[in-house]
Amino acid sequence: MATPLFFFFFFFFFADQVLAAPRVKPLADLQVRAELALDPAAGPESIAFDSNGGGPYTGVADGSILRWNASARRWDPFSNPPRHGNETCGGPYPQITENVCGRPLGLQFEHSSGDLYIADAYFGLMKVGPDGGTAEPVAFEAEGQPLFFTNGVDIDQKRGTVYLTDSSAHFRRRDFLMLMLTGDATGRLLSYEKGTGEVKVLLRGLAFPNGLAMDKDGEFLLITETTNRRVLRYWLRGPKKGKVDVFADLMGFPDNIKRTERGDFWVALGLGRASAEAEAPVLCPVAVRLAVDGAVEEVMEDCTAPGAISEVEERNGGLWFGSVVRPYVEVYNM
């Protein structure tokens, strides 16, 4: 997640990376299928579909989770965090109150139960049943240290383990720019076992760990490390179990990462860095598609609103774009 101040600040300081020439596709060349307006809400950071293909669901800046009602062409309330009831929450950008209203970031459904798991920056890891309602906190600390900036979430659908990121031990979500500027590396990768309630720290010392995505075979987990502009691979099984390596270096600051049905991955770039590659110059990269070996296969470019995209979900022949600032979810035909 990011803000407009972040976009402009970094654009002038990081525009020098040269990468191998991928296929570059301007967003302007794609047909817009729909803009699912959120008015008066804003900031659909992450997008999720339930096991029946229903949705999308998204979390917005006032702390709530919304579900798209396709027949009525509107967003309906689905869930809220367990507030005390006296908070004034609502409107598009209540950043000053997000510590009491909540700020949902990563979302993921568990297919077997229909539960939606929510990484809320302030309330920790929560879940809510398929009928919605008030979300239930399930993890809010690990090794005696509170979850201070819960961010990404993914689920091993075969084994039921939930993975999540805690982006910093020192900086809250609304202070994420200072997290990056100071080089803070107190972020963690954690796991939650729903059967026992046990929360384990799998990795520590990460510089702004953000989105998560498991590979198709459940062999490894990918973590976007925003400050270091890269994707890390944490091995879950096999001879490399428990080890971590660099999966991909990126032409920008990654936000969320999502696996496609094919098994490759879309990474949203909170801010792209211009690439001087002569064969395929990229001025305003907003998303990249990574192959299963980490190679950059495709780059989406948009110079009209760089830095506004927080997630790309490929589904039903379209690309669904989440944003931490826009008041809509945008859908493009592929």
Side-chain angles (χ1 to χ4, degrees):
M1 20 60 55
T3 67
L5 173 62
F6 166 81
F7 309 149
F8 291 108
F9 181 90
F10 279 102
F11 181 79
F12 293 104
F13 285 89
F14 300 101
D16 58 351
Q17 186 168 356
V18 180
L19 298 175
R23 181 172 57 183
V24 180
K25 184 179 293 185
L27 279 183
D29 290 352
L30 300 182
Q31 180 184 8
V32 177
R33 182 188 300 181
E35 283 188 2
L36 312 184
L38 286 154
D39 185 50
E45 157 83 12
S46 184
I47 299 164
F49 293 83
D50 61 36
S51 57
N52 297 317
Y57 300 71
T58 192
V60 291
D62 67 359
S64 62
I65 305 294
L66 306 176
R67 176 172 53 192
W68 179 247
N69 183 331
S71 60
R73 301 293 299 173
R74 68 167 187 260
W75 293 93
D76 291 335
F78 181 72
S79 179
N80 282 307
R83 301 167 182 155
H84 297 296
N86 297 321
E87 303 87 352
T88 301
C89 302
Y93 304 105
Q95 193 173 62
I96 194 170
T97 60
E98 66 181 25
N99 62 312
V100 293
C101 294
R103 183 51 169 113
L105 300 176
L107 304 176
Q108 187 61 268
F109 276 95
E110 183 185 32
H111 296 162
S112 60
S113 66
D115 291 339
L116 174 63
Y117 281 81
I118 305 159
D120 188 286
Y122 298 90
F123 286 86
L125 180 67
M126 303 188 297
K127 73 173 181 179
V128 64
D131 295 326
T134 302
E136 169 194 358
V138 296
F140 45 86
E141 68 173 9
E143 297 181 345
Q145 179 181 323
L147 301 183
F148 208 64
F149 182 172
T150 323
N151 201 329
V153 62
D154 202 6
I155 300 174
D156 186 329
Q157 300 291 353
K158 293 181 180 179
R159 298 167 179 85
T161 304
V162 181
Y163 297 96
L164 61 150
T165 54
D166 184 20
S167 293
S168 174
H170 299 140
F171 295 98
R172 291 291 196 180
R173 191 216 71 90
R174 60 189 180 195
D175 300 316
F176 75 93
L177 186 56
M178 289 302 298
L179 189 165
M180 299 182 69
L181 291 174
T182 60
D184 177 85
T186 59
R188 302 180 293 175
L189 170 68
L190 308 102
S191 66
Y192 165 75
E193 299 294 344
K194 66 175 187 176
T196 63
E198 183 181 15
V199 181
K200 292 182 180 179
V201 178
L202 305 178
L203 285 176
R204 51 174 55 84
L206 301 176
F208 202 162
N210 202 326
L212 290 176
M214 182 177 292
D215 78 300
K216 204 168 185 177
D217 298 322
E219 297 295 316
F220 59 81
L221 192 68
L222 297 182
I223 311 115
T224 56
E225 195 181 25
T226 301
T227 301
N228 289 332
R229 303 183 301 277
R230 63 186 183 179
V231 180
L232 300 177
R233 174 172 50 189
Y234 177 79
W235 292 93
L236 298 169
R237 272 163 278 284
K240 297 182 181 180
K241 180 180 178 180
K243 298 188 180 301
V244 63
D245 54 32
V246 177
F247 185 72
D249 289 304
L250 299 172
M251 56 177 70
F253 296 87
D255 201 319
N256 292 328
I257 180 169
K258 285 282 190 170
R259 191 184 75 234
T260 72
E261 292 184 355
R262 295 182 305 274
D264 51 6
F265 305 89
W266 279 106
V267 183
L269 300 178
L271 179 73
R273 302 171 68 192
S275 170
E277 175 61 52
E279 296 180 13
V282 184
L283 297 178
C284 310
V286 295
V288 297
R289 183 166 58 83
L290 300 178
V292 293
D293 63 356
V296 178
E297 293 190 325
E298 190 171 4
V299 179
M300 289 294 176
E301 184 180 41
D302 183 13
C303 291
T304 63
I309 293 173
S310 59
E311 184 166 292
V312 180
E313 169 86 7
E314 182 178 326
R315 181 175 286 259
N316 301 329
L319 291 177
W320 301 69
F321 284 76
S323 171
V324 77
V325 293
R326 292 176 177 173
Y328 54 82
V329 170
E330 195 160 32
V331 191
Y332 290 86
N333 286 326
M334 296 184 63

